[in-house]
Amino acid sequence: MQENIKEWYRPGSVDEVLNIIRSDQGIPYAGGTGLKNSPVAGLIDLRRLNLNYINENSSGKMIGACTHFNEIANYTWPDSRRILGQAAGQAASNPLRNLITIGGSLAFRPVWSNVPTPLLALNASVKAVGAQAAEYSITDFLQLKRSSKFFITEIDIPPAPGFGVYHRFARTRFDYSALDLAVYIEVQSGAIVLCRIAIGNAIPVAIRLINVENRLTGLSINDSQIPAIINAVEIKPGHNPNFSREFLLNMLRTELLRAFTKIREQVDAN
Amino acid sequence: MQIKLTINGKLKSLVIHPGENLLETMRNNGYTGVKYGCGTGDCGACVVLLNNKPVNSCQVLTAAIDGESVTTIEGIGTMDKPHPIQEELVEAGAVQCGYCTPGVVLSAYALLQVNPQPTEDEIKTALDGHLCRCTGYVKIIEGVKNAARRVH
């Protein structure tokens, strides 16, 4: 029982939600799994906003902020955007994935959420109301303060015709991941023309390894320099009581090498 | 506050506290087959079906699901007429203390509704939110496989 909760708001529009947030009367309630012990007195029921969808337009897929992880995991993604489905399908547990929403995960960024990493690799954008910008690149969005008074409405992901790999490392299926990694590469005539490598969980905020991406772009997918470039990757993992920083760094390098091996196999198969 | 829920196929009007979770609501209204295990969404003992999908009822605020449909273990089978999933779990030796079992049955029920012939991996994924201190899970998976064959 959360005794502090006194009021429920059931707005019919995004503007109404924003007014309630800005007046400090309440916070959005989507899946609710991140609400534990929050001192808030008012909650905003988002069901009437119909933000639970995965649609397509000419610029890609649009995912409503209230879409649950299992819906994303079970969706038939037509291209390498499936790495988002893989990430969503490996987070938390089956019953929780029927509650956790993509918008809630991005707003609160709980430890069990793996979606920032594949969204970075897929160059997604986040639509919000009440913020300084109507649409943020995922990179910029992840730098925003979590307490900012805006409301996420949609996540957009452009087509991803290239090759993608997602990997999540945890002790058990249900455990919080210690490291997750997403690689997306486009290849033309055997050469890497686009490379995005994103990592998360081992560090406080998911990031792309821009320096590594720049070194790999232009190389042949079979270039002998690739292992050396990957083995030179450096990150500073945050404190993890179960794994040393050296272990996590080695895990990252190993899984990056494996990701490139898988991508080479996909390229060869094509 | 007053809300309406369809519980095991019957429309009910309930008076709840705005901060009450679905686990509390169910148990306070006689559906004691919904078990309190951890209260944090980690054990799966409290799983119910919300609009036919398994959720941790301890993580759902009841006011947020006004008008929706909930299925508890009481709506799946009874002592006199158990569901085949319940029978197959007992037959397989998948029930010891029985505390995790209601949640497991509901997750298995939901799985077989959408996937009548699940692979072992699909069963494991469907049940990945359930902790069992007694059985070691092998018999649970075997029981669900047997139930899948029997139900379909």
Side-chain angles (χ1 to χ4, degrees):
Chain A
M1 172 84 71
Q2 296 199 43
E3 301 276 358
N4 48 287
I5 296 169
K6 307 292 182 201
E7 189 76 46
W8 278 86
Y9 302 93
R10 305 193 194 274
S13 73
V14 168
D15 285 342
E16 285 179 61
V17 173
L18 202 53
N19 287 339
I20 297 166
I21 293 171
R22 282 177 166 161
S23 63
D24 288 325
Q25 290 177 290
I27 63 171
Y29 180 96
T33 56
L35 189 66
K36 289 190 262 281
N37 303 321
S38 171
V40 65
L43 291 172
I44 309 169
D45 178 358
L46 302 176
R47 285 176 300 161
R48 288 172 64 198
L49 302 182
N50 296 319
L51 291 178
N52 187 344
Y53 58 81
I54 302 177
N55 292 333
E56 178 138 32
N57 64 12
S58 55
S59 47
K61 292 284 184 190
M62 308 171 298
I63 307 176
C66 291
T67 306
H68 299 109
F69 270 25
N70 261 346
E71 283 146 6
I72 296 169
N74 295 331
Y75 186 79
T76 306
W77 296 95
D79 53 29
S80 287
R81 284 170 287 187
R82 71 180 69 86
I83 62 173
L84 176 64
Q86 290 166 358
Q90 294 177 50
S93 67
N94 188 45
L96 287 173
R97 291 191 291 271
N98 285 327
L99 291 172
I100 299 169
T101 63
I102 190 168
S105 260
L106 285 174
F108 290 106
R109 274 162 258 162
V111 292
W112 57 80
S113 171
N114 296 135
V115 295
T117 305
L119 289 176
L120 277 169
L122 294 171
N123 201 29
S125 57
V126 179
K127 286 188 174 163
V129 292
Q132 290 179 339
E135 187 166 349
Y136 291 90
S137 72
I138 185 68
T139 307
D140 290 342
F141 180 82
L142 291 175
Q143 300 305 316
L144 294 176
K145 285 184 186 172
R146 285 189 287 175
S147 58
S148 304
K149 289 191 178 182
F150 56 80
F151 178 61
I152 300 168
T153 56
E154 186 176 278
I155 293 88
D156 293 352
I157 312 178
F163 304 93
V165 171
Y166 176 77
H167 179 75
R168 175 184 186 273
F169 171 70
R171 289 173 298 176
T172 65
R173 186 195 286 258
F174 189 33
D175 199 8
Y176 301 148
S177 71
L179 168 74
D180 75 330
L181 160 72
V183 179
Y184 175 71
I185 284 179
E186 290 180 8
V187 174
Q188 273 180 20
S189 304
I192 299 171
V193 296
L194 177 70
C195 178
R196 296 192 206 108
I197 300 172
I199 63 168
N201 291 125
I203 46 178
V205 179
I207 59 169
R208 278 173 53 186
L209 302 179
I210 303 285
N211 287 340
V212 180
E213 295 172 358
N214 290 340
R215 291 186 68 189
L216 292 171
T217 302
L219 296 181
S220 159
I221 190 67
N222 294 305
D223 197 303
S224 58
Q225 294 180 68
I226 291 178
I229 293 171
I230 289 172
N231 282 324
V233 165
E234 288 288 343
I235 61 166
K236 288 184 182 173
H239 173 68
N240 186 309
N242 299 307
F243 306 103
S244 69
R245 290 190 168 98
E246 292 77 16
F247 178 89
L248 289 173
L249 179 56
N250 278 321
M251 173 64 65
L252 169 62
R253 290 169 177 165
T254 302
E255 290 305 331
L256 263 177
L257 286 169
R258 286 177 177 164
F260 271 80
T261 300
K262 281 184 191 170
I263 289 173
R264 271 194 288 278
E265 288 168 359
Q266 291 174 28
V267 171
D268 290 343
N270 275 356
Chain B
M1 62 190 295
Q2 191 163 50
I3 63 155
K4 289 193 190 316
L5 285 180
T6 301
I7 303 174
N8 297 332
K10 292 183 181 169
L11 183 63
K12 305 264 184 181
S13 186
L14 305 171
V15 175
I16 62 165
H17 183 282
E20 185 172 318
N21 65 50
L22 185 59
L23 170 60
E24 290 163 331
T25 304
M26 292 294 101
R27 292 188 62 83
N28 289 344
N29 284 278
Y31 300 96
T32 52
V34 188
K35 305 300 183 190
Y36 179 96
C38 65
T40 55
D42 293 306
C43 74
C46 70
V47 160
V48 298
L49 301 184
L50 175 60
N51 299 329
N52 298 317
K53 292 182 182 174
V55 298
N56 303 90
S57 60
C58 69
Q59 297 297 293
V60 177
L61 290 180
T62 311
I65 61 165
D66 183 15
E68 310 286 1
S69 167
V70 177
T71 306
T72 71
I73 190 65
E74 290 89 347
I76 297 293
T78 64
M79 286 292 286
D80 295 326
K81 200 176 174 186
H83 192 277
I85 295 173
Q86 291 170 304
E87 289 182 326
E88 292 299 332
L89 286 177
V90 169
E91 191 64 30
V95 183
Q96 292 188 27
C97 80
Y99 205 75
C100 72
T101 308
V104 166
V105 170
L106 286 166
S107 285
Y109 177 87
L111 169 68
L112 297 183
Q113 292 287 299
V114 298
N115 185 355
Q117 294 180 335
T119 62
E120 183 165 314
D121 258 359
E122 287 166 338
I123 294 172
K124 287 178 179 177
T125 298
L127 300 184
D128 69 0
H130 295 278
L131 294 177
C132 174
R133 288 291 280 130
C134 299
T135 68
Y137 305 101
V138 172
K139 296 298 183 182
I140 292 175
I141 294 166
E142 185 183 308
V144 175
K145 282 183 187 172
N146 294 341
R149 277 192 283 271
R150 183 171 154 191
V151 168
H152 296 282

